[in-house]
Amino acid sequence: MKRIAPLLLLLAGCATIPAAQAKPSPLPGCAEALVYSSAHNGVALLVLEDGKIRCRSADTSTPQELWSGTKSLVGLMAAAAVQDGLLTLDERAADTLTEWRDDPQRAAITIRQLLTMTGGQASTVGRPLGYLDSARAPLTAAPGAKFQYGPAPMQIIGEIMRRKLTVAGLDPNPRTYIEHRILTPIGVKIGSWRNGPDGAPLMPQGLVLAADEWARIGEFVRSGGTLNGTPLIDPATLVELFRGSDANPAYGLTWWLPRASAAGDPVTRSTDIVEHADKLPADLVVAAGAGDQRLYVIPSRRLTIVRQAKLDIAALAAGKASGWSDAHFLSFFLSPTSQ
């Protein structure tokens, strides 16, 4: 734990990512992408190539709800916690959640399984429970056996981090940790972050960021989790974030991946990067939220792409498909004429 303080001092002195240029030169496919996004309730679009703006909508500075796009930040938080010696991906969650130790199934759950949504927690929608209530909720599958996308695993990670930070003598608020370790050093300004019913920051949703700020997170991932050549998070763990599980190869540790998958849940089916995996860059990683909020990072193409939209709550509640296609949208920037 003694490594944490010197590292934080080092990060505090790092320069932030320079402000983006005011007048981007359009990337081929930009005009078509702007039209397509707008036709699907789009409110912001920002494309960076080599860190330089190549496509932008009129407003990329107004904070918008990321919804489940927040989850991918939890994976980055875990990579920072590994670097700080706070946890390992394959440790048992029960090592920290001592109340789980007498339950054979819960005692077997690992941090990795929580992050890959394979810990056995049920798939649910609606407002998440608080940290402790999420940890108490019954399991509906054996750990590692099934992919079940929902808010509970991220809320449980929030409680694990709260306890580990307390033991380390640090501020126990996971949001404070994320901001201090990652967001502030890379220059991200948060619009807001909603709390859950227990008053703690929502880990599966709740983060409100402008496209400009979400792009900074994308650039951080594209750079391999470094700032000015200095790793801010554990490099090996960052690689692990982009490995799918046996239960769902298309979902890593809080990030979506273009991989064929037999998972038949509605959330996996809601993105067609699974269906078109063979046509997309293998190193594409995606943070995704309700209403087709997207952060695409494609290191091989030197691209970071943010797309934000207005959430149609009525259509979502009715189960109506939005008509959004990730593969079609990305094709505007991945076609031969855009290279």
Side-chain angles (χ1 to χ4, degrees), residues 33-189:
L34 286 167
V35 170
Y36 182 73
S37 180
S38 179
H40 291 82
N41 296 324
V43 295
L45 176 59
L46 180 64
V47 181
L48 304 183
E49 183 181 43
D50 284 327
K52 300 176 182 178
I53 293 178
R54 299 295 309 280
C55 184
R56 181 168 65 181
S57 60
D59 181 8
T60 59
S61 61
T62 299
Q64 311 286 345
E65 287 268 10
L66 302 190
W67 299 108
S68 286
T70 306
K71 290 181 174 69
S72 296
L73 194 56
V74 176
L76 297 178
M77 175 183 69
V82 169
Q83 187 179 53
D84 291 342
L86 292 170
L87 58 78
T88 64
L89 293 179
D90 293 309
E91 71 179 63
R92 297 185 307 163
D95 292 344
T96 302
L97 301 176
T98 55
E99 62 268 37
W100 279 14
R101 291 178 182 174
D102 294 331
D103 183 316
Q105 279 200 318
R106 284 187 171 86
I109 297 171
T110 65
I111 300 289
R112 184 188 297 271
Q113 288 171 337
L114 291 171
L115 292 169
T116 57
M117 304 284 186
T118 61
Q121 291 75 28
S123 295
T124 58
V125 295
R127 187 170 177 80
L129 300 174
Y131 290 0
L132 288 176
D133 285 340
S134 295
R136 294 171 183 143
L139 301 183
T140 58
K146 186 177 181 181
F147 174 80
Q148 298 186 118
Y149 187 91
M154 300 299 100
Q155 291 289 78
I156 295 169
I157 290 290
E159 177 61 17
I160 290 172
M161 284 298 299
R162 187 189 67 77
R163 297 188 192 188
K164 286 182 175 292
L165 291 167
T166 298
V167 170
L170 300 172
D171 187 318
N173 190 324
R175 170 182 171 175
T176 301
Y177 180 76
I178 292 172
E179 290 188 40
H180 196 51
R181 280 293 277 105
I182 300 173
L183 300 185
T184 298
I186 66 176
V188 171
K189 296 179 181 178

Side-chain angles (χ1 to χ4, degrees), residues 2 37 44 61 70 80 127 161 188 203 211-212 214 217 240-241 257 279 284 314 328:
K2 294 181 180 180
S37 180
S61 61
T70 306
R127 187 170 177 80
M161 284 298 299
V188 171
M203 294 288 100
D212 291 331
W214 207 8
I217 296 175
E240 291 297 307
L241 299 188
L257 313 169
K279 301 179 182 67
L284 164 69
H328 182 66

